[in-house]
Amino acid sequence: MGEAEHTFGGDWTEQKLDALFYYLQFYTTALKGKSGASWSFDLWYIDAFAGSGERTTARQTGGLFVQQPISQEVVQLDGSAKRALAIKPPFQRVVLIEADATRYAALCALREDGRVQCIQGDANEELAKLLNSAEWRLPSVGKGLRRGVVFLDPYGMQVSWQTLELLAAAKRFDVWYLFPIEAVGRQLARRFEGVDQSK
């Protein structure tokens, strides 16, 4: 495997990404605006834990029903970032945030599509910068025409509460937060006295 390859997940990962893809497809279709209208939404997709843009996984092939020997093959599958770029009608902007340097370097290949902006850094910090930028500040009148979907799919508990508050306050995002319930379970105390302020 090359150093940019990103190995994680299983069948559930494909189900999750399929669900996201279908949702994004309906989202852009619903908000594309009427043909010939004098206005249209400026639609953004923001992936705060974008990875490398794809994932490497092993798949079992063959078996009794296809009358071939069982074997394993290693395949590359599109991740959330590449799937978002395939949506029709398209997002006008696709922002991909990744902290890991190797994954970020692989992700930058997607910048060939002029809609893509890649950012290396902590998701919480970079989302805060983006949402406080002039592009996302609310106009003095109305809510403006910029809308977006934010996809939060961390490996653990990297998403801060302040980030969720910031996204909610913007009132212009659909947020997919795949909450790491197993990570939360590991933090639970058996007695209430064990629950400190941070928890």
Side-chain angles (χ1 to χ4, degrees):
M1 278 194 265
E3 62 179 346
E5 292 182 357
H6 193 186
T7 304
F8 67 95
D11 291 341
W12 66 91
T13 304
E14 285 306 298
Q15 292 170 7
K16 164 187 72 178
L17 292 174
D18 285 346
L20 175 68
F21 178 82
Y22 293 129
Y23 178 82
L24 295 177
Q25 191 73 61
F26 287 119
Y27 180 87
T28 61
T29 300
L31 296 184
K32 71 179 179 179
K34 294 181 181 178
S35 180
S38 61
W39 61 272
S40 63
F41 285 113
D42 181 19
L43 301 180
W44 290 42
Y45 172 77
I46 303 170
D47 194 329
F49 299 89
S52 64
E54 58 188 20
R55 72 185 194 92
T56 304
T57 189
R59 283 190 168 170
Q60 184 174 300
T61 60
L64 178 65
F65 296 114
V66 293
Q67 299 177 353
Q68 293 179 352
I70 294 175
S71 63
Q72 294 275 338
E73 65 175 348
V74 175
V75 295
Q76 295 280 77
L77 301 172
D78 288 348
S80 53
K82 283 191 171 182
R83 289 181 185 224
L85 288 169
I87 297 297
K88 301 291 182 204
F91 287 94
Q92 280 78 40
R93 291 280 298 276
V94 175
V95 178
L96 307 173
I97 303 169
E98 176 55 45
D100 181 83
T102 302
R103 292 181 202 142
Y104 171 76
L107 198 61
C108 286
L110 298 179
R111 289 190 296 201
E112 291 176 4
D113 184 319
R115 299 173 294 151
V116 174
Q117 175 186 2
C118 295
I119 302 171
Q120 184 179 9
D122 175 85
N124 297 293
E125 294 172 11
E126 298 305 331
L127 279 171
K129 286 181 200 172
L130 184 66
L131 297 184
N132 287 315
S133 70
E135 290 181 297
W136 278 99
R137 280 195 210 106
L138 282 172
S140 57
V141 178
K143 293 184 179 177
L145 294 174
R146 189 158 286 137
R147 297 288 184 276
V149 175
V150 176
F151 185 52
L152 302 172
D153 188 13
Y155 287 107
M157 297 180 64
Q158 293 96 333
V159 178
S160 73
W161 183 252
Q162 289 78 14
T163 297
L164 297 175
E165 288 180 320
L166 191 61
L167 289 166
K171 298 181 180 178
R172 292 188 288 170
F173 292 105
D174 286 17
V175 178
W176 277 55
Y177 181 16
L178 302 182
F179 193 75
I181 197 159
E182 181 181 331
V184 173
R186 287 194 304 264
Q187 299 293 319
L188 294 177
R190 292 180 184 219
R191 294 179 307 154
F192 186 73
E193 297 79 33
V195 180
D196 61 23
Q197 185 62 36
S198 69
K199 292 179 183 176

